[in-house]
Amino acid sequence: MDFLIRTKMKKEELIKHKTPFYCYDLELLSQTLDEAQAHAKKHDYHIHYAMKANTNDRILKLIQSKGFSSDCVSGNEVKKALEIGFKPNQIAFAGVGKSDEEIMIGLENEIFTFNCESVEEIEVINELAEQKGKIARIALRLNPNVDAKTHKYITTGLEENKFGINSWELDNLIEKIGSWKHIKLTGLHFHIGSQITSMTPFKNLCIRVNELNTWFSERGIRIEHLNLGGGLGIDYQNPTENPIPDFELFFGVFKQFLEPRPHQEVHFELGRSLVGNCGSLISKVLFIKKGIKTNFAILDAGMTELIRPALYQASHSIENLTSESRESEFYDVVGPICESSDCFGKKIELKETKRGDYIKIHSTGAYGEVMTSGYNLREQNPVVYINE
Ligand code: LLP
């Protein structure tokens, strides 16, 4: 029962909280952040935390206090980042569809950069900046056409995806850039996808970035920073044995293959790899129901609390925290929502499970709590923090 041992949270403590609830291990988060920062600093790399992964205040505060910058994808995330204490010059604002109001928030606060995804977006930012009497710093999000070899819903760097500016648009863009008087092009931005566990896509990204970086310098355009995005995956299958991703290996690939010019800063936008394993979803078994092949363990948490399995066929490690049985059995672990996709895993081996047992769904710190919904008018319960 690693949860009980690691947290020293006794069963009496566990049952005080109304289920389902998100539980964050702040010590593991702190260790993960320190490790990421240490390996990035070795190469003078800057990490923006991709806030979309988890916007819980306590988590954001810890990340901010450790010197990370932030990567936002909405006006509200920019506001939240400022509230938490991130400095405007630490904020990158990305997104394929920024509204005028959201652009205004970025302009008023003179953020570090807008990561721009189309020519039309740059034109609009230029116009709005002119109205405000500001110069907007922008980075071009370029579509590198590199396959991240991950789930298709979280692949972003292929020409068929909606993201980024494709290479065939660059000549046209560069011709216009001189006429946009309220824009300062400072960076190139890339992001190929998420939950990437092989280093090959990152190596391929570096090779493509080197080509594009050269393309700009050959045209006399000075680029001050390269932003390589996020995407480093976590070990969903063995989170207890392997709670912290291999940041040394990850940054090492960029050190080896990326060729920044001497004046260029290198930035990253990591989300999942920083927060993914520090969170878990704790739920209670409502009923055990006999199925044809396996039994169903019906939990009080569903796709409304954690949508990743339903949306991306994601598989999270699942554990019975309180069963004292020595026997184990196979269960389809499902939620209470009226959708067949409301299933956390099929044929999951658990200690013999009965009504009232506590179940831990591991590695839900990223894209868990932030993606909850009120479908079926579901309630949201308070979050629990451990190892503070
Ligand atoms: N930068 C950009 C431009 C992004 O679009 C993303 C994630 C990140 C950085 C952070 O990526 P990470 O380091 O977390 O892989 N909801 C999905 C993941 C969506 C990722 C969206 N973009 C999931 O639960 O798997």
Side-chain angles (χ1 to χ4, degrees), residues 63-125:
I63 294 175
Q64 187 276 334
S65 73
K66 288 190 181 276
F68 287 77
S69 295
S70 80
D71 161 43
C72 303
V73 285
S74 70
N76 283 344
E77 282 193 5
V78 173
K79 285 191 199 161
K80 173 68 116 183
L82 291 166
E83 243 169 69
I84 293 291
F86 291 98
K87 301 274 172 302
N89 68 6
Q90 294 179 306
I91 297 178
F93 182 11
V96 69
K98 304 174 186 76
S99 72
D100 292 13
E101 292 74 19
E102 291 180 312
I103 293 170
M104 283 298 194
I105 294 169
L107 288 172
E108 276 157 13
N109 290 291
E110 304 187 354
I111 59 172
F112 170 64
T113 180
F114 290 88
N115 292 339
C116 296
E117 306 220 11
S118 66
V119 173
E120 195 168 20
E121 179 190 340
I122 305 172
E123 278 167 355
V124 170
I125 295 179

Side-chain angles (χ1 to χ4, degrees), residues 77-214:
E77 282 193 5
V78 173
K79 285 191 199 161
K80 173 68 116 183
L82 291 166
E83 243 169 69
I84 293 291
F86 291 98
K87 301 274 172 302
N89 68 6
Q90 294 179 306
I91 297 178
F93 182 11
V96 69
K98 304 174 186 76
S99 72
D100 292 13
E101 292 74 19
E102 291 180 312
I103 293 170
M104 283 298 194
I105 294 169
L107 288 172
E108 276 157 13
N109 290 291
E110 304 187 354
I111 59 172
F112 170 64
T113 180
F114 290 88
N115 292 339
C116 296
E117 306 220 11
S118 66
V119 173
E120 195 168 20
E121 179 190 340
I122 305 172
E123 278 167 355
V124 170
I125 295 179
N126 182 56
E127 267 170 45
L128 295 175
E130 184 173 6
Q131 284 171 28
K132 285 254 156 212
K134 305 262 187 191
I135 305 285
R137 280 177 295 275
I138 67 159
L140 302 177
R141 177 171 180 177
L142 302 179
N143 187 326
N145 200 25
V146 167
D147 193 349
K149 303 245 186 293
T150 184
H151 190 276
K152 63 177 190 293
Y153 287 2
I154 49 176
T155 291
T156 52
L158 291 176
E159 281 169 1
E160 69 207 49
N161 301 131
K162 69 179 173 183
F163 300 100
I165 297 168
N166 285 312
S167 48
W168 63 81
E169 296 175 280
L170 284 181
D171 284 322
N172 169 34
L173 193 152
I174 292 313
E175 258 178 45
K176 291 187 174 166
I177 209 143
S179 66
W180 293 321
K181 299 292 177 219
H182 290 263
I183 292 292
K184 182 169 180 346
L185 172 59
T186 60
L188 300 181
H189 172 230
F190 305 85
H191 174 74
I192 55 173
S194 199
Q195 186 50 21
I196 303 169
T197 49
S198 150
M199 293 300 119
T200 311
F202 294 121
K203 175 184 167 191
N204 294 341
L205 173 63
C206 291
I207 293 167
R208 187 71 186 119
V209 173
N210 294 339
E211 287 167 11
L212 288 159
N213 199 16
T214 302

Side-chain angles (χ1 to χ4, degrees), residues 6 94 134 138 148 179 181 213 256 263 269 296 331 343 345:
R6 280 177 65 90
K134 305 262 187 191
I138 67 159
S179 66
K181 299 292 177 219
N213 199 16
Q256 193 179 349
H263 69 274
E269 299 167 342
F296 292 100
Y331 299 89
C343 174

Side-chain angles (χ1 to χ4, degrees), residues 281-346:
L281 177 61
I282 309 294
S283 174
K284 214 158 47 175
V285 177
L286 292 173
F287 306 111
I288 300 293
K289 180 163 131 171
K290 282 244 171 280
I292 298 172
K293 289 190 186 140
T294 45
N295 292 337
F296 292 100
I298 303 170
L299 309 188
D300 62 3
M303 63 195 288
T304 39
E305 284 66 47
L306 179 68
I307 201 171
R308 303 195 66 257
L311 197 55
Y312 318 109
Q313 296 78 49
S315 115
H316 288 248
S317 159
I318 304 177
E319 183 187 0
N320 186 324
L321 293 175
T322 49
S323 169
E324 302 206 332
S325 171
R326 291 173 180 212
E327 307 298 318
S328 66
E329 279 189 33
F330 288 91
Y331 299 89
D332 282 7
V333 180
V334 302
I337 308 298
C338 318
E339 306 252 356
S340 294
S341 59
D342 184 27
C343 174
F344 292 120
K346 288 189 189 297

